[in-house]
Amino acid sequence: MNADPTPITTTDALSRFCESLAAVPYVTVDTEFMRETTYWPKVCLIQIAGPDEARVIDPLADGLSMEPLFTLLRNRSVLKVFHAARQDLEIFTKLMGEVPAPLFDTQVAAMVCGFGDQVSYEQLAAKLAGAQIDKSSRFTDWARRPLSEKQVTYALSDVTHLRKAYEKLAARLEKSGRAHWLDAEMAILADPATYELPPENAWKRLKPRTTKPEYLAVLQAAAAWREVEARNRDIPRQRIIRDETLMEIAAHPPKAAEDLERMRGLSKGFAEGKMGAGLLAAIAAKLAGPKDGWPVVEREPELPRGIGPLVELLKVLLKMKCDEHDVAQKLVASSADLDRIAADDKAEVPAMEGWRRELFGNDALRLKHGELALAANGSKIKLVELKA
């Protein structure tokens, strides 16, 4: 398998490379990016490998058009393989205006194949490709040129070993008949809405101190204003206003520049300048607007008294089932899902649908209604059928 360490820096070279991959069954993809000083990730390197060749692409090269790569990523006859794909897909969605398709995420596949919750690429490469990844270049300055041989070698390893990992995971899924278990997760990754954050929803990234309507309304307005400013200036959110300061603003809504100036983390220049004026205007407009447009935090339904022991039994059943079927618990049900199942037979949670219901949900209901029991069998737990 050929891995050329020379970065691609011209459109002609990129076109030739991408054309050579247009008929392969899959490509593995990764990126190196930096966002310490920007709102949007700054893509510094893109790594692509087909079954027999691998290259790095230098998106910072003068005059390089990325269109040949985008054409490849849009080619629906070529599967795009990522590991922990979300950040990379966010980058490509921003660059291309659409999500690459079709997709395969080896981290999700590994959860289905018994490698535990959120297995790292290094762990997967070691277990499936017998490779040891040198992590020393992980936090390197990818924007600096020229790239060193060590940097390029590290970057290529993120896609070359991924080939073997993908092939082995795909074979396991085919043999076990579990390929469709990935469908829901891949659909989420393929949905452009996954990578969109409307400014009016930016407050949801925070942890509100209270659910009082006015607090949430001011928090929404301030967070939305910050989001727009950060995007327009292409600087990190925290460079505009820190999260804790947003919380303080929501708790004590400012009406004038003097109010802003008294808040920790805001300078006099900010308070008396255009940014302060913009923030005050956003808050004032929100509070003056209709209250039915204020955000609401839906409270979790109160669980019936005495339900705790049943939830603990469901946790044991979940662990037993996932160990038995060699699948990560996180992929089947969360603790909140178990609470809902314990409280409601018709709980609208993933564990009560499709393959998850077959694996766990049906027996969870039977355990809940006394049709099954859990019993110790030496060091193991077993299910016992109970007669009506």
Side-chain angles (χ1 to χ4, degrees):
M1 294 184 182
N2 180 36
D4 188 338
T6 306
I8 292 176
T9 59
T10 69
T11 304
D12 285 346
L14 181 59
S15 295
R16 290 193 298 272
F17 176 61
C18 291
E19 286 170 5
S20 73
L21 297 175
V24 300
Y26 72 87
V27 291
T28 54
V29 189
D30 190 41
T31 66
E32 306 297 344
F33 61 90
M34 301 176 70
R35 68 186 316 168
E36 288 84 357
T37 61
T38 59
Y39 177 90
W40 305 106
K42 180 180 180 180
V43 188
C44 301
L45 204 65
I46 299 171
Q47 304 95 279
I48 305 283
D52 300 311
E53 56 183 324
R55 297 292 299 271
V56 296
I57 302 163
D58 184 358
L60 303 183
D62 290 340
L64 175 64
S65 169
M66 300 300 293
E67 280 304 317
L69 174 62
F70 298 159
T71 297
L72 175 64
L73 296 179
R74 293 183 182 108
N75 185 342
R76 300 194 67 86
S77 67
V78 180
L79 182 68
K80 289 80 186 178
V81 180
F82 294 81
H83 183 83
R86 188 164 299 214
Q87 282 190 310
D88 292 320
L89 291 175
E90 178 188 5
I91 288 171
F92 285 119
T93 301
K94 174 72 166 54
L95 293 175
M96 298 168 51
E98 60 187 287
V99 186
L103 298 170
F104 186 98
D105 189 328
T106 55
Q107 187 176 73
V108 177
M111 294 171 72
V112 170
C113 293
F115 288 88
D117 294 346
Q118 294 184 321
V119 62
S120 71
Y121 175 64
E122 290 79 14
Q123 292 171 318
L124 207 59
K127 291 179 178 179
L128 295 180
Q132 297 298 319
I133 307 296
D134 180 1
K135 302 179 184 179
S136 61
S137 294
R138 171 173 290 179
F139 299 109
T140 190
D141 183 355
W142 291 105
R144 180 174 294 182
R145 296 294 184 268
L147 295 167
S148 69
E149 182 179 345
K150 185 176 182 180
Q151 285 176 305
V152 174
T153 299
Y154 169 82
L156 282 170
S157 71
D158 281 344
V159 290
T160 54
H161 302 310
L162 190 56
R163 295 183 290 205
K164 182 65 71 176
Y166 158 69
E167 290 171 355
K168 289 193 174 182
L169 287 170
R172 290 191 186 194
L173 290 170
E174 182 68 25
K175 183 177 180 180
S176 64
R178 294 183 178 183
H180 68 284
W181 287 19
L182 275 64
D183 290 349
E185 282 67 31
M186 293 305 103
I188 292 171
L189 289 175
D191 185 354
T194 300
Y195 313 102
E196 298 172 357
L197 179 62
E200 62 270 21
N201 291 339
W203 68 277
K204 295 180 180 180
R205 298 179 56 258
L206 309 170
K207 296 181 179 179
R209 298 172 184 171
T210 176
T211 58
K212 291 181 179 179
E214 183 174 301
Y215 177 95
L216 293 178
V218 175
L219 183 63
Q220 182 189 47
W225 174 86
R226 181 181 72 167
E227 199 73 14
V228 173
E229 286 292 322
R231 290 181 184 182
N232 290 342
R233 297 168 183 265
D234 195 20
I235 59 177
R237 299 177 184 94
Q238 303 286 347
R239 293 274 188 94
I240 304 290
I241 299 180
R242 298 186 65 82
D243 288 352
E244 53 266 31
T245 304
L246 284 183
M247 301 290 195
E248 186 67 15
I249 288 170
H252 305 284
K255 296 181 180 179
E258 308 87 75
D259 301 327
L260 285 176
E261 190 178 343
R262 283 194 291 269
M263 291 186 177
R264 185 176 180 181
L266 297 182
S267 66
K268 182 177 181 179
F270 178 101
E272 296 181 350
K274 290 183 178 180
M275 295 185 75
L279 175 58
L280 289 171
I283 294 171
K286 188 66 180 181
L287 292 178
K291 292 187 177 181
D292 58 9
W294 291 8
V296 176
V297 174
E298 294 185 9
R299 295 183 179 181
E300 290 291 328
E302 190 171 337
L303 298 177
R305 291 177 59 85
I307 206 171
L310 173 58
V311 173
E312 294 303 314
L313 285 177
L314 291 176
K315 288 180 181 179
V316 174
L317 177 66
L318 176 64
K319 180 170 179 53
M320 186 193 81
K321 286 286 185 176
C322 289
D323 286 350
E324 176 185 337
H325 292 277
D326 211 17
V327 60
Q329 294 180 55
K330 181 178 179 180
L331 200 60
V332 179
S334 67
S335 295
D337 292 342
L338 298 183
D339 290 342
R340 293 187 180 96
I341 293 170
D344 183 1
D345 286 1
K346 297 181 180 180
E348 295 183 358
V349 295
M352 301 305 295
E353 299 176 357
W355 65 267
R356 293 175 176 85
R357 182 168 186 134
E358 294 176 13
L359 186 147
F360 168 73
N362 287 330
D363 280 345
L365 293 181
R366 295 186 69 205
L367 177 67
K368 177 180 175 180
H369 292 288
E371 299 172 15
L372 289 176
L374 294 169
N377 182 17
S379 60
K380 296 185 178 181
I381 301 295
K382 67 176 183 179
L383 284 176
V384 178
E385 294 275 351
L386 298 179
K387 295 181 180 180

